[in-house]
């Protein structure tokens, strides 16, 4: 019989600066790869996939179909969040992160090798959807795992700054994907882009996958996971095993209290708060980084390079925004920063769309750059640490992954399809601004209701709320 007794943890196991650096680079790189993969796809969906995989419909319907195909990956992400999240809470963060990056990298590379509708007909979009499902299944736990790992490695007083590197990974991936597309659009003709050019970014992602896999093989497990009161020999006890341990008279009072808090607490409140905090960032991201790219090119008839260049400039500015917001969160707390950023996003939503639709390229870029940094990257920097702090260590991976992916399905995946439909029906841009306000308002209310989590002990098994 397995010995389920252990001493009360005194805090996270020590890790060297080198260990922290490896964890930071691993989290940054894996998340960069995830967002590079998804941004490559979202830009392709907005720019060329409606012509390559859905050529026999009108441009408006083709854009809606391409965005819907983009959205199906988020359904698979939910399944991946459940499967790999539970695995990560049970056997550790490191093993799961190794598997997720393999799935993501392989499926993204294969998208670049797909035959088109002109070659094999309806089978082409079917294969595209299948690879999107595989890609999404792996990605469903990637950013959650990287978020958990980095937050659990970080020193308490610098947790916001260190955890923001995960968000910086999303920024790096977005920048790389947008930069690749900007180059393709600048140097290739329409015929070259549609015949073979669109494949290059997907095929090149294979090189990044190889490096990321190598790095994660040499990464140590999360110190918080190792110090959990319910982990024995590297595996978490089941609920029945914890109940048995609680009935064991050899447990001291403190150890019994820690284990009991981890399984007796009623779950739900922290999860719904995290889901609300996720809504603003996820919804704004889907509208600004995905839908507006296609809307500007197909509806406003701007040059195709304009929105991708705007994303590139916004991502470059994000290298300042993301760590700055992380540091401010460490200084002033998570809740005040959430409130400030969501209020700014709501106030800027309609002015942003006025800038974008003003027939001025400079104004359009300014609107997208500011909207991306305040309403997406700034919120993501806060999200990377706050959601990890809201949950107890026993179910942190699972709950965080589910909150991210359910929020993604409800906001990021569905949002572009709704926006495409509303703008087609109304013939106006105002539904886009209204959706930005609604998404941000949900996060604002959640921030008011959430507890302040700055400095929380992440080894604790119970949730913060």
């Amino acid at each position: 019989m397995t010995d389920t007794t252990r001493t009360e943890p005194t805090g996270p196991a020590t890790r060297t600066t080198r260990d922290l650096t490896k964890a930071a680079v691993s989290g940054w790189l894996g998340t960069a790869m995830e967002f590079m993969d998804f941004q490559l796809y979202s830009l392709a969906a907005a720019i060329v996939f409606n012509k390559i995989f859905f050529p026999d419909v009108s441009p408006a319907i083709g854009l809606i179909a391409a965005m819907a195909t983009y959205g199906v990956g988020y359904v698979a992400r939910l399944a991946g969040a459940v499967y790999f999240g539970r695995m990560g809470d049970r056997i550790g963060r490191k093993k799961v992160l190794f598997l997720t990056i393999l799935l993501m990298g392989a499926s993204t590379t294969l998208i670049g090798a797909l035959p088109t509708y002109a070659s094999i007909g309806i089978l082409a979009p079917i294969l595209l959807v299948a690879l999107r499902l595989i890609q999404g299944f792996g990605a469903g736990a990637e950013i959650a795992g990287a978020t958990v790992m980095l937050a659990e490695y970080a020193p308490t007083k610098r947790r916001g700054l260190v955890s923001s590197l995960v968000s910086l990974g999303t920024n790096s991936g977005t920048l790389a994907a947008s930069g690749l597309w900007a180059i393709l659009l600048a140097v290739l003709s329409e015929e070259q882009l549609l015949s073979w050019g669109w494949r290059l970014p997907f095929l090149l992602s294979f090189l990044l996958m190889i490096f990321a896999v190598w790095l994660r093989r040499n990464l140590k497990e999360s110190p918080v996971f190792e110090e959990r009161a319910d982990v024995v020999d590297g595996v978490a006890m089941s609920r029945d095993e914890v109940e048995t341990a609680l009935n064991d008279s050899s447990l001291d009072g403190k150890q019994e209290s820690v284990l009991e808090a981890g399984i007796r607490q009623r779950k739900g409140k922290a999860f719904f708060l995290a889901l609300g905090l996720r809504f603003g960032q996820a919804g704004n991201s889907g509208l600004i980084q995905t839908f507006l790219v296609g809307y500007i090119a197909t509806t406003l008839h701007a040059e195709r390079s304009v929105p991708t260049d705007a994303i590139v400039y916004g991502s470059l500015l994000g290298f300042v925004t993301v760590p700055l917001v992380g540091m401010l969160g460490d200084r002033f707390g998570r809740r005040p920063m959430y409130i400030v950023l969501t209020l700014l996003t709501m106030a800027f939503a309609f002015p942003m769309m006025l800038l974008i639709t003003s027939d001025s390229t400079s104004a359009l870029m300014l609107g997208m750059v500011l909207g991306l940094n305040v309403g997406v990257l700034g919120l993501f920097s806060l999200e990377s640490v706050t959601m990890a702090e809201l949950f107890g260590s026993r179910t942190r991976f699972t709950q965080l992954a589910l909150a991210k992916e359910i929020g993604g399905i409800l906001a990021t995946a569905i949002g572009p399809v709704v926006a495409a439909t509303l703008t087609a029906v109304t013939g106006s841009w105002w539904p886009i601004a209204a959706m930005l306000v609604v998404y941000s308002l949900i996060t604002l209310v959640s921030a008011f209701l959430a507890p302040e989590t700055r400095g929380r002990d992440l080894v604790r098994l119970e949730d913060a709320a």
Side-chain angles (χ1 to χ4, degrees):
M1 180 178 293
T2 302
D3 180 11
T4 58
T5 62
R6 57 179 294 142
T7 60
E8 167 71 10
T10 58
T14 58
R15 289 288 187 266
T16 65
T17 301
R18 184 178 180 182
D19 293 331
L20 177 59
T21 301
K22 284 183 178 180
V25 173
S26 172
W28 164 78
L29 187 60
T31 308
M33 181 174 172
E34 175 189 349
F35 271 72
M36 179 179 173
D37 292 349
F38 269 69
Q39 186 68 2
L40 284 176
Y41 188 95
S42 66
L43 290 173
I47 298 170
V48 298
F49 277 1
N50 59 325
K51 300 175 183 177
I52 294 173
F53 293 101
F54 309 97
D56 294 337
V57 295
S58 69
I61 298 300
L63 179 61
I64 293 174
M67 290 299 165
T69 307
Y70 165 80
V72 300
Y74 283 88
V75 178
R77 290 176 71 106
L78 181 58
V82 174
Y83 181 79
F84 288 117
R86 295 179 66 181
M87 183 186 296
D89 282 326
R90 177 74 171 164
I91 65 173
R93 317 335 189 176
K94 174 185 174 180
K95 296 174 183 177
V96 168
L97 288 173
F98 182 80
L99 293 174
T100 56
I101 208 157
L102 280 175
L103 283 176
M104 284 166 38
S107 57
T108 300
T109 301
L110 288 174
I111 286 176
L114 277 179
T116 65
Y117 187 93
S119 300
I120 59 173
I122 193 65
L123 187 58
I126 291 175
L127 290 174
L128 180 65
V129 170
L131 288 176
R132 277 289 292 168
L133 290 172
I134 296 172
Q135 185 189 56
F137 187 69
E142 168 59 37
I143 193 168
T147 298
V148 168
M149 178 70 92
L150 203 48
E152 292 183 346
Y153 254 89
T156 302
K157 292 184 178 180
R158 291 188 294 152
R159 190 182 291 153
L161 174 60
V162 173
S163 297
S164 74
L165 293 177
V166 173
S167 305
L168 208 56
T170 70
N171 191 41
S172 302
T174 299
L175 176 62
S178 300
L180 284 171
W181 270 105
I183 292 172
L184 291 177
L185 291 171
V187 304
L188 298 182
S189 66
E190 177 85 6
E191 181 181 355
Q192 290 172 324
L193 185 67
L194 294 176
S195 62
W196 55 268
W198 67 271
R199 300 181 184 275
L200 294 180
F202 295 97
L203 297 176
L204 288 173
S205 68
F206 179 76
L207 299 176
L208 186 60
M209 180 193 73
I210 295 299
F211 178 66
V213 166
W214 171 81
L215 183 65
R216 286 190 174 176
R217 288 193 63 182
N218 298 288
L219 182 66
K220 292 182 180 179
E221 181 56 83
S222 156
V224 168
F225 179 83
E226 291 182 348
E227 288 299 314
R228 275 171 46 184
D230 62 334
V231 170
V232 178
D233 296 328
V235 179
M237 292 185 283
S238 67
R239 186 179 182 88
D240 288 342
E241 289 172 331
V242 173
E243 294 282 4
T244 300
L246 287 173
N247 294 326
D248 190 335
S249 60
S250 65
L251 288 177
D252 60 42
K254 282 189 176 181
Q255 186 177 359
E256 182 177 357
S257 176
V258 169
L259 288 173
E260 188 168 13
I263 66 169
R264 302 282 190 240
Q265 183 188 41
R266 177 179 293 180
K267 301 293 183 181
K269 184 176 180 180
F271 176 81
F272 284 109
L273 288 172
L275 186 61
L277 294 176
R278 169 71 167 151
F279 232 85
Q281 188 280 329
N284 297 344
S285 175
L287 291 176
I288 295 173
Q289 294 181 264
T290 302
F291 175 73
L292 277 178
V293 173
Y295 179 81
I296 290 168
T298 61
T299 302
L300 301 183
H301 305 293
E303 290 292 329
R304 293 174 304 171
S305 60
V306 171
T308 54
D309 287 347
I311 296 295
V312 169
Y313 298 145
S315 297
L316 286 172
L317 181 59
F319 283 98
V320 176
T321 301
V322 167
L324 177 61
V325 171
M327 288 189 291
L328 291 173
D330 284 333
R331 175 67 177 84
F332 299 106
R334 320 305 184 203
R335 291 179 71 248
M337 290 305 301
Y338 259 114
I339 292 169
V340 168
L341 287 178
T342 50
L343 287 174
L344 286 174
T345 304
M346 293 168 66
F348 185 60
F350 281 86
M352 182 188 78
M353 289 308 303
L354 287 172
L355 289 170
I356 288 173
T357 57
S358 66
D359 293 328
S360 167
T361 300
S362 299
L364 186 156
M365 287 193 172
L366 178 63
M368 288 196 71
V369 167
L370 292 178
L372 177 63
N373 276 268
V374 176
V376 179
L377 298 179
L379 288 178
F380 213 161
S381 180
L382 286 174
E383 179 183 301
S384 295
V385 64
T386 309
M387 290 178 68
E389 292 172 331
L390 273 173
F391 300 122
S393 59
R394 180 169 171 82
T395 58
R396 177 171 294 128
F397 199 147
T398 304
Q399 290 200 83
L400 196 154
L402 282 174
K404 279 184 174 290
E405 299 315 320
I406 291 175
I409 290 173
L410 295 177
T412 313
I414 296 176
V417 180
V418 174
T421 304
L422 290 177
T423 52
V425 170
T426 64
S428 177
W429 53 262
W430 69 261
I432 306 170
M435 290 177 69
L436 288 171
V437 171
V438 171
Y439 286 145
S440 301
L441 179 61
I442 292 172
T443 292
L444 178 63
V445 172
S446 300
F448 270 113
L449 297 176
E452 177 57 63
T453 58
R454 179 182 53 167
R456 187 169 189 261
D457 180 8
L458 296 188
V459 182
R460 296 174 64 176
L461 299 181
E462 73 275 17
D463 295 341

